[in-house]
Amino acid sequence: MAQKIDWESQIGRRLKLRDLHVFFTVVQWRSMAEAAKHLGVSQPAVSEIIAGLEHILGVRLLDRSPQGVEPTIYGNALLKGGTAAFDELKQSIRNIEFLADANVGEIRIGCPESIAASILPPVVQEFSERYPRVLLHINDIVSPPLHWPELRERRLDVVLERLVRPQAKDTEDLNVEVLFDDDVVVAAGAHSRWAGRRKIDLAELVDEPWILMPSDSWNYRTVAEAFRARGLPMPSISLMTFSVHLRVNLLASGRYLTAFPRSVLRINADRFPIKILPLDLPAQPWPVAVVTLKNRTLSPVVKLFIDHLRAFVNSKASGLKPAGGERATTKEGQGGENVHPSSVVRS
């Protein structure tokens, strides 16, 4: 049994931040030798620091195995609490930097490509013009919604995500704010034989080559439900991909059909050589949310960025439907909603 730890005599006076940093580095690299190399010190020095920590706490923090070094249950407890403590310290330093110069800071943002290709570019452009010395890191999110280890491990400050019926238990440790409701539309290349049609029946598209997102996506399920509701078989799928860039380029050939979030095409109306087809799909609200970690101090620049997100979504220029609001009106051309040709965004 672990002995009772006296904070004043054992921790307050003896535990050093550098020792915790060494411990975190050993866990990250799963090797004392690799950690020593990364830290620029000798392996015996690392071993001595770990031994000192174990002596101070009175428990074994690491287990050695053929696969490398792994934290024990005590090591995991120290890792979890220590990560939060270091993060709060970093945030405090960021706050000091912001108080000294409100134009300086750093934000780590996670989002899927479909958001990086829709609301993010205009928000980033406006924000960067106002705060040119704030560094933005944009990371592609590949984890399933509500399972973001990068956010929970405090490697991201904020996540932008399309949510699918979140359960209360999935969000107990998260702040989830729905920004707007998106929906799914069917699109074709501007030179497709379908682009000039004023009215299209879903049954006409069964034998056309489709590009869809993978079968566990909201995009795919919405299309599948639309065909099922009409008693139709699923259309012929030529490609499954999350890539906006790939879908846009293939649609330009005029051969394929695909489904997109409406916001991707609405915000890129002057850039994508695509036309939204006049089809009635079942109403499926697709909430887009900004997510942060509860009980975590956000730096002022992160709060500013979230404010810019809200402002853009609620502006008439976005053409979006803010959560609980009405969709902004747009001009509907004959044969569907026009999306003019030009270049595509980088994936």
Side-chain angles (χ1 to χ4, degrees), residues 51-292:
L53 277 174
E54 292 179 331
H55 177 72
I56 291 171
L57 298 173
V59 295
R60 189 175 185 85
L61 297 174
L62 298 171
D63 282 331
R64 285 76 172 171
S65 73
Q67 289 72 39
V69 174
E70 295 287 346
T72 64
I73 57 171
Y74 308 113
N76 278 321
L78 181 61
L79 186 67
K80 182 177 180 181
T83 299
F86 265 78
D87 180 69
E88 289 297 322
L89 180 60
K90 288 178 183 177
Q91 297 290 25
S92 297
I93 293 171
R94 289 178 183 176
N95 290 348
I96 292 171
E97 291 173 342
F98 181 81
L99 290 171
D101 186 347
N103 293 317
V104 174
E106 193 170 351
I107 309 173
R108 291 176 168 81
I109 304 157
C111 68
E113 188 188 351
S114 65
I115 292 179
S118 60
I119 65 170
L120 209 51
V123 173
V124 167
Q125 181 173 337
E126 198 274 340
F127 184 85
S128 295
E129 287 174 356
R130 293 192 61 180
Y131 304 100
R133 294 171 63 195
V134 174
L135 174 61
L136 301 176
H137 300 266
I138 310 297
N139 299 282
D140 186 35
I141 290 290
V142 296
S143 304
L146 305 176
H147 298 277
W148 309 293
E150 301 94 337
L151 184 63
R152 289 183 165 96
E153 294 170 7
R154 299 168 183 253
R155 288 183 280 126
L156 292 176
D157 297 308
V158 60
V159 162
L160 302 175
E161 184 61 281
R162 301 180 185 277
L163 303 182
V164 181
R165 301 187 182 94
Q167 303 295 318
K169 63 180 178 63
D170 296 324
T171 59
E172 288 176 350
D173 61 338
L174 303 174
N175 295 309
V176 180
E177 177 188 344
V178 175
L179 295 172
F180 66 96
D181 288 322
D182 216 342
D183 58 359
V184 175
V185 295
V186 175
H191 303 295
S192 165
R193 66 191 181 94
W194 301 104
R197 293 278 296 272
R198 299 183 181 185
K199 187 176 181 180
I200 299 173
D201 188 273
L202 200 60
E204 298 178 78
L205 306 181
V206 170
D207 296 323
E208 294 297 304
W210 282 70
I211 304 171
L212 290 179
M213 291 169 67
S215 58
D216 60 346
S217 68
W218 190 255
N219 178 302
Y220 180 98
R221 289 199 293 267
T222 300
V223 172
E225 183 175 324
F227 279 89
R228 185 167 53 250
R230 289 286 310 279
L232 299 169
M234 274 295 288
S236 174
I237 301 174
S238 298
L239 173 67
M240 283 188 170
T241 179
F242 283 107
S243 173
V244 173
H245 184 91
L246 181 58
R247 281 181 282 166
V248 167
N249 277 278
L250 287 174
L251 256 64
S253 71
R255 178 170 180 251
Y256 299 97
L257 302 175
T258 194
F260 273 117
R262 185 183 294 272
S263 65
V264 172
L265 301 186
R266 184 184 298 278
I267 292 172
N268 292 285
D270 295 329
R271 309 183 71 188
F272 286 179
I274 295 172
K275 178 166 286 190
I276 296 175
L277 302 184
L279 284 166
D280 292 326
L281 297 181
Q284 294 278 6
W286 202 2
V288 175
V290 56
V291 186
T292 56

Side-chain angles (χ1 to χ4, degrees), residues 47 52 72 90 259 310 328 338 340:
S47 299
T72 64
K90 288 178 183 177
R310 295 189 189 107
N338 286 309
H340 302 293

Side-chain angles (χ1 to χ4, degrees), residues 297-310:
T297 302
L298 293 179
S299 70
V301 289
V302 174
K303 294 178 182 177
L304 281 173
F305 183 80
I306 293 174
D307 286 341
H308 276 70
L309 280 170
R310 295 189 189 107

